[in-house]
């Protein structure tokens, strides 16, 4: 969709920031965005939608079918009421703004807004104050400077403003106009942000302070009172009127009192304030994105900001333990389980969902033909091919040949909701919803599966459910080391004949890269199905129980492709694993092959880059434990409990899956911090991999690896004896020595010494007693050491 955003696009203030944030977001969703200055003399046609930010010029919307207004109530003139009838929607940033516009037009609704995320954990925090009026004289700067001058406030203050202020108190640094890098440093270095504005239609400085985890101080007025996460609210007196609103002013004495209260905060108080501020910022951002999706008429998969949505998905996902949600079981529903039972007495157990564009149809043909050689019964699996953007020339259907295989092949169309670029997230969601099987394997059209892949995946999934923890499986992946044209040429004869027997000689004569992640290369051997615990899904071709996919909301349709959509889904799965709700396993006996594809276009690479940046931001939120993620975990636990109950009804699922309440999540986080604090100094600087053994292994492995720059491998206490000698640079024993006899301790330590390389240490981190009572640490100190007893001994192991 072509969208014009009309505002003061270069004023260097809030309007320019609004335009850049909104424009970048819409472009990343696949829309074409043009910024138009509101003083432009000639009209600009050809837009599907015109969005006016604060200002309105009717001549700039002539001939446009849709026009929206995102006003600021303090700058909207009461006499301009009739102009509101020109808009399809009047989108208000705050509830206070909505209360002023709703009586004027029935088209008003709340949208929210968002500011740039300024969080930078690398910047050291200090007990100093920051005030950012920028180029505005309505941010309460006079009250702040008078407070520092009259009351001789001894604490340092930085004022970032392009204006000249005649009052120059001591302890005040006037930074003037600074670049974005320097501003970000100030926002993270200052623990207290003063924002005594007379009124805020949104307030970027305020919300950026929340994103940095600062203690934000605001007036206790209508617009400010609805903002969550602020540390203190200062009294304010009426000051006047502006536009549709009343303005207020904070007295210098109230600024002084707020400053003294801030300096009385303990370190524990500041940590709680930081978490509340980050949670408020992230929640507001997700609410705004969900609202914008809705008004654009593009319904995405479940987004992080909708806790209510997460609960709904989680409830329906619980019903899917037997093959589909309650909605799918509705009589007569397309693709429902009732329909599936009517067409097949035994629905398939696993569905291979493959999105495809017409350009990759030759690769799809090879991938589907290779499935004819599977050792699993053809009735045990199905293939769902999703035509991403449709199949106008019939190339995808001709390549898949749905009626010529012993297994079921279903072709479905998936129109692209935005833009001309491939939208793999939308296609994958359409594919798994059309599948009949309870287990979903998300594949790509350029992947060839070996003969035993499906059989081994089913076997490992059943074994995981029997253990009481559902598993996400992923195969080892190798790549064909040939240019795309050469690969197509060499495989043309085999693909044309359809003879699966021709695949083996083709691959034996085709060079492959190593493609084996980590230290699993020596375990690729024929024989019984094999797998081992894994800290991440690696290449993003996961095999997932569909109830978990439902609870996660599927693939986030914000991403349009290029790999970031798979990576964002993998980040969700890894977050669930870190909560100990699922197991991740690498199918070491299955080596899938990726065929070569043509490089993406330069225009598409721009969207890929934006997608990667957004994925990194969301991954940080998951690792941080944002509020939306904690709500999502509760829904996921409910869905997984149903799966475990269905697989093992003799043992209640609640006893097999850990608690996911906020207190329990915080207790496990304290456990990680405590062990990492004592383990990291001994392991940092080494090379290789560390073996983590014991009950807390899943929780510790990834965190220790990231902190020390090592690859972590997780084994049980029984699996320690099976590891070969000299394969690791360190060992962490997590809980396995707690309560052990002297003989048992000696045996476990001997096994640990045997597998450590001669040049490495033997790190024994004995984690005893489990999680202790919350809040047991002294006031102002980190609670991690109080949550668990950690005893550490480091030995130097010789030959």
């Amino acid at each position: 969709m072509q969208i014009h955003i009309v505002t003061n696009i270069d004023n260097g203030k809030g309007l320019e920031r609004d335009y850049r944030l909104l424009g970048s977001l819409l472009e990343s969703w696949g829309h074409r965005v043009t910024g138009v200055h509101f003083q432009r003399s000639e009209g600009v046609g050809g837009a599907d939608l015109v969005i006016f930010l604060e200002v309105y010029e009717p001549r700039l919307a002539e001939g446009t079918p849709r026009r929206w207004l995102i006003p600021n109530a303090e700058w909207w003139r009461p006499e301009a009421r009739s102009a509101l009838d020109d808009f399809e929607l009047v989108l208000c940033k705050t509830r206070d703004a909505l209360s002023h516009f709703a009586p004027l037009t029935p088209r008003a609704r709340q949208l929210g807004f968002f500011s740039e995320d300024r969080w930078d954990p690398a910047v050291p925090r200090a007990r100093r104050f920051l005030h950012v009026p920028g180029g505005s004289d309505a941010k309460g700067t006079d009250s702040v400077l008078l407070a520092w001058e009259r009351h001789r406030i001894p604490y340092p203050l930085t004022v970032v403003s392009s204006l000249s202020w005649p009052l120059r108190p001591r302890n005040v640094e006037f930074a003037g106009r600074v670049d974005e890098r320097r501003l970000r440093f100030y926002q993270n270095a200052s623990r207290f942000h003063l924002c005594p504005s007379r009124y805020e239609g949104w307030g970027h400085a305020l919300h950026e302070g929340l994103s940095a985890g600062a203690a934000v101080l605001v007036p206790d007025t209508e617009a400010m009172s609805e903002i969550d996460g602020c540390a203190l609210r200062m009294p304010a007196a009426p000051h006047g009127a502006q536009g549709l609103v009343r303005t207020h002013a904070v007295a210098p004495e109230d600024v002084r009192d707020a400053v003294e209260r801030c300096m009385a905060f303990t370190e524990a108080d500041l940590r709680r304030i930081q978490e509340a501020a980050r949670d408020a910022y992230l929640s507001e951002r997700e609410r705004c994105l969900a609202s914008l999706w809705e008004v654009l008429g593009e319904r995405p998969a479940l987004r992080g900001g909708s806790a209510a949505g997460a609960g709904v998905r989680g409830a329906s996902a619980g019903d899917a333990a037997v093959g589909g949600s309650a909605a799918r079981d509705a009589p007569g529903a397309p693709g429902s389980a009732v329909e599936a039972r009517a067409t097949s007495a035994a629905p398939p157990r696993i569905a291979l969902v493959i999105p495809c564009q017409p350009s990759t149809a030759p690769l799809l043909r090879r991938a589907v033909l290779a499935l004819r050689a599977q050792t699993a019964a053809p009735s045990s699996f199905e293939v769902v091919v999703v035509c991403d953007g449709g199949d106008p020339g019939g190339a995808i259907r001709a390549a898949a040949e749905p009626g010529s295989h012993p297994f079921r092949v279903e072709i479905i169309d998936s129109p692209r909701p935005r833009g001309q670029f491939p939208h793999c997230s939308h296609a994958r969601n359409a594919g798994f919803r059309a599948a009949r099987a309870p287990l979903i394997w998300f594949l790509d059209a350029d992947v060839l599966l070996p003969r035993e892949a499906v059989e081994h995946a089913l076997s490992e999934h059943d074994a995981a459910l029997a253990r009481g923890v559902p598993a996400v499986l992923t195969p080892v992946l190798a790549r064909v080391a040939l240019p795309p044209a050469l690969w197509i040429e060499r495989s043309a004869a085999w693909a044309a004949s359809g003879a699966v027997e021709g695949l083996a000689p083709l691959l034996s004569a085709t060079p492959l890269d190593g493609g084996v992640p980590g230290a699993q290369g020596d375990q690729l051997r024929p024989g019984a199905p094999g797998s081992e615990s894994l800290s991440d899904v690696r290449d993003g071709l996961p095999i997932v129980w569909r109830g978990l996919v439902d609870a996660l909301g599927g693939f986030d349709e914000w991403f349009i492709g290029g790999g970031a959509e798979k990576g964002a889904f993998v980040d969700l799965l890894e977050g669930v694993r870190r909560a100990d709700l699922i197991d991740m396993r690498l199918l070491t006996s299955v080596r899938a092959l990726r065929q070569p594809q043509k490089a993406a276009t330069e225009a598409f690479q721009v969207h890929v880059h934006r997608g990667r940046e957004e994925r990194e931001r969301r991954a940080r939120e998951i690792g941080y434990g944002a509020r939306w993620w904690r709500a999502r975990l509760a829904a996921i636990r409910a869905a997984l409990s149903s799966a475990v109950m269905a697989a093992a009804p003799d043992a209640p699922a609640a006893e097999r899956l850990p608690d996911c309440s906020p207190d329990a999540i915080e207790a496990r986080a304290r456990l990680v911090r405590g062990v990492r604090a004592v383990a990291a100094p001994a392991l940092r600087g080494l090379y290789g991999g560390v073996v983590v053994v014991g009950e807390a292994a899943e929780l510790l492995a990834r965190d220790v690896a990231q902190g020390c720059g090592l690859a972590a491998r997780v084994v049980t206490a029984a699996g320690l004896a099976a590891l070969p000698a000299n394969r690791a640079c360190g060992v962490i024993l997590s809980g396995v020595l707690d309560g052990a006899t002297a003989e048992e301790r000696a045996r476990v330590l001997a096994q640990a010494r045997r597998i450590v390389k001669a040049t490495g240490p033997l790190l024994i981190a004995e984690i005893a007693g489990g999680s202790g009572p919350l809040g047991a640490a002294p006031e102002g100190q980190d609670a991690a050491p109080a949550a668990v007893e950690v005893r550490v001994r480091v030995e130097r192991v010789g030959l």
Side-chain angles (χ1 to χ4, degrees):
M1 183 162 59
Q2 178 66 53
I3 300 176
H4 289 172
I5 299 179
V6 180
T7 189
N8 194 345
I9 61 176
D10 55 4
N11 71 341
K13 300 179 182 179
L15 281 182
E16 180 179 350
R17 185 158 298 195
D18 288 353
Y19 154 65
R20 296 193 182 280
L21 285 169
L22 182 60
S24 297
L25 177 66
L26 293 173
E27 284 182 344
S28 67
W29 285 356
H31 299 291
R32 300 180 301 279
V33 178
T34 302
V36 179
H37 198 284
F38 76 105
Q39 293 178 336
R40 182 166 180 159
S41 57
E42 71 278 9
V44 182
D48 303 304
L49 168 66
V50 176
I51 302 176
F52 291 90
L53 291 179
E54 187 179 293
V55 300
Y56 178 43
E57 290 293 338
R59 56 187 170 76
L60 297 178
E62 293 178 356
T64 302
R66 305 172 67 186
R67 61 186 73 179
W68 295 353
L69 173 67
I70 303 180
N72 286 338
E74 71 271 29
W75 297 108
W76 189 261
R77 302 187 308 275
E79 60 270 19
R81 174 176 181 173
S82 59
L84 298 176
D85 296 334
D86 295 346
F87 299 101
E88 175 189 357
L89 290 173
V90 177
L91 303 173
C92 301
K93 300 177 183 178
T94 63
R95 293 193 299 271
D96 183 66
L98 182 63
S99 69
H100 293 292
F101 282 97
L104 304 180
T105 174
R107 302 180 181 90
R109 61 176 298 170
Q110 186 177 355
L111 172 68
F113 219 69
F114 63 95
S115 297
E116 184 178 345
D117 190 350
R118 297 289 188 163
W119 173 256
D120 187 352
V123 177
R125 266 65 174 170
R127 286 177 174 260
R128 57 181 302 124
F129 292 82
L130 177 68
H131 176 58
V132 187
S136 173
D137 59 358
K139 303 296 184 180
T141 309
D142 49 355
S143 295
V144 173
L145 296 179
L146 278 172
W148 251 258
E149 177 72 17
R150 287 181 185 175
H151 304 290
R152 306 292 182 179
I153 296 178
Y155 313 120
L157 165 69
T158 300
V159 176
V160 179
S161 175
S162 60
L163 303 180
S164 177
W165 300 95
L167 197 59
R168 298 272 171 165
R170 65 187 184 92
N171 289 335
V172 177
E173 172 195 3
F174 290 87
R177 186 187 295 273
V178 298
D179 58 25
E180 291 296 312
R181 181 188 60 81
R182 191 64 180 170
L183 178 59
R184 182 187 295 269
F185 172 81
Y186 282 133
Q187 290 170 323
N188 283 274
S190 305
R191 282 191 157 175
F192 310 112
H193 289 203
L194 283 166
C195 302
S197 302
R198 295 174 189 170
Y199 186 85
E200 285 289 3
W202 179 249
H204 285 290
L206 189 160
H207 285 84
E208 288 173 0
L210 293 176
S211 74
V216 179
L217 287 66
V218 297
D220 189 12
T221 55
E222 291 87 351
M224 305 293 194
S225 62
E226 66 186 75
I227 301 173
D228 296 331
C230 296
L232 288 178
R233 302 187 187 277
M234 300 175 285
H239 179 268
Q242 182 178 342
L244 301 179
V245 306
R246 294 176 299 171
T247 60
H248 296 76
V250 178
E253 291 70 26
D254 293 320
V255 173
R256 175 204 58 193
D257 293 344
V259 167
E260 294 297 339
R261 290 176 61 189
C262 285
M263 297 307 295
F265 287 145
T266 65
E267 289 301 309
D269 292 334
L270 290 176
R271 279 196 298 272
R272 287 191 292 269
I273 289 171
Q274 176 177 294
E275 293 175 359
R278 285 288 296 169
D279 275 346
Y281 167 80
L282 297 173
S283 299
E284 179 61 37
R285 186 184 193 279
E286 293 300 325
R287 280 194 295 268
C288 172
L289 296 185
S291 298
L292 188 57
W293 272 94
E294 184 176 354
V295 297
L296 283 170
E298 300 167 343
R299 299 296 298 178
L302 179 66
R303 295 191 59 80
S306 177
V312 173
R313 288 287 185 118
S316 64
D319 299 331
V322 293
S325 66
R328 293 175 60 84
D329 286 337
S336 65
V338 174
E339 182 183 6
R341 286 192 290 270
T343 57
S344 174
R349 297 188 57 202
I350 184 171
L352 281 59
V353 175
I354 308 175
C356 184
Q357 297 93 42
S359 61
T360 56
L363 301 177
L364 174 69
R365 174 173 175 78
R366 290 153 180 77
V368 176
L369 281 175
L371 296 175
R372 297 172 66 96
Q374 288 297 311
T375 57
S379 60
S380 65
F381 66 95
E382 64 177 340
V383 178
V384 180
V385 177
V386 188
C387 303
D388 182 7
D391 187 22
I396 298 177
R397 284 173 171 78
E401 297 181 337
S404 62
H405 305 290
F407 45 84
R408 175 176 176 263
V409 177
E410 181 177 353
I411 311 290
I412 63 173
D413 285 323
S414 174
R416 292 172 184 165
R418 300 185 309 279
Q420 76 273 26
F421 298 123
H423 201 302
C424 297
S425 292
H426 188 77
R428 288 191 178 94
N429 287 336
F432 96 80
R433 290 174 184 133
R436 299 185 299 166
L439 196 61
I440 308 295
W441 191 341
F442 292 103
L443 287 172
D444 292 329
D446 62 333
V447 173
L448 297 174
L449 292 183
R451 300 175 65 254
E452 71 281 359
V454 172
E455 181 182 1
H456 288 191
L458 293 174
S459 174
E460 288 297 314
H461 180 72
D462 292 343
L465 280 182
R467 291 192 298 268
V469 180
V472 172
L473 310 171
T474 184
V476 179
L477 195 73
R479 299 176 184 270
V480 176
L482 289 175
L486 189 57
W487 164 252
I488 295 293
E489 177 186 342
R490 292 190 180 181
S491 60
W494 162 68
S497 67
V500 179
E501 294 77 12
L503 178 60
L506 170 66
L507 293 178
S508 64
T510 301
L512 304 176
D513 69 2
V516 180
Q520 285 81 21
D522 56 2
Q523 300 177 35
L524 292 177
R525 56 186 181 274
S531 69
E532 67 174 67
S533 201
L534 187 67
S535 60
D536 60 73
V537 183
R538 303 295 172 109
D539 197 71
L541 298 175
I543 306 169
V544 193
W545 172 65
R546 72 170 306 122
L548 177 57
V549 183
D550 270 323
L552 288 171
F555 286 78
D556 195 325
E557 295 186 14
W558 187 94
F559 299 97
I560 64 171
E565 83 290 346
K566 289 190 296 185
F569 186 71
V570 166
D571 292 338
L572 295 175
L573 293 173
E574 292 175 357
V576 179
R577 185 201 64 79
R578 285 195 295 270
D580 289 341
L581 289 176
I582 62 172
D583 185 18
M584 283 188 180
R585 304 195 72 82
L586 179 72
L587 296 181
T588 51
S589 55
V590 173
R591 188 186 196 190
L593 302 174
R594 186 179 288 283
Q595 309 172 68
Q597 288 198 57
K598 295 181 180 178
T601 63
E602 182 177 351
F604 184 59
Q605 289 292 349
V606 173
H607 290 267
V608 171
H609 178 70
R610 288 180 179 146
R612 289 172 180 166
E613 291 180 340
E614 178 67 9
R615 177 204 169 179
E616 292 173 0
R617 185 192 67 79
R618 299 189 188 189
R620 289 195 299 270
E621 294 179 12
I622 294 172
Y624 181 80
R627 183 186 304 172
W628 68 265
W629 176 244
R630 296 198 297 267
R632 184 78 65 87
L633 281 178
I636 292 169
R637 186 184 188 279
L640 292 179
S641 297
S642 301
V644 177
M645 285 288 288
D650 295 337
E655 297 179 3
R656 292 176 174 241
L657 294 177
D659 184 11
C660 278
S661 65
D663 286 346
I665 292 174
E666 175 61 21
R668 290 199 294 273
R670 290 177 182 176
L671 173 66
V672 168
R673 291 198 297 267
V675 175
R676 182 176 59 181
V678 296
L683 289 177
R684 191 174 291 117
L686 298 175
Y687 297 93
V690 61
V691 175
V692 187
V693 190
E695 295 177 356
E698 292 296 328
L699 187 64
L700 293 170
R702 185 182 179 93
D703 198 74
V704 170
Q706 288 181 340
C708 306
L710 300 170
R713 183 174 181 180
V714 183
V715 298
T716 63
L720 185 63
L723 291 177
N726 297 331
R727 296 310 304 271
C729 68
V731 176
I732 296 179
L733 303 176
S734 172
V736 298
L737 301 181
D738 189 18
T741 65
E743 181 180 352
E744 291 170 338
R745 290 174 65 90
R747 175 173 50 81
V748 172
L749 293 179
Q751 293 172 348
R753 292 187 182 95
R754 178 180 53 82
I755 69 172
V756 176
K757 294 178 181 178
T759 57
L762 170 62
L763 175 68
I764 306 168
E766 300 183 44
I767 305 174
S771 297
L774 297 176
E779 184 69 21
Q781 296 183 14
D782 199 314
V788 64
E789 181 186 359
V790 181
R791 297 187 298 271
V792 178
R793 183 170 73 254
V794 179
E795 299 180 6
R796 185 62 59 177
V797 181
L799 291 173

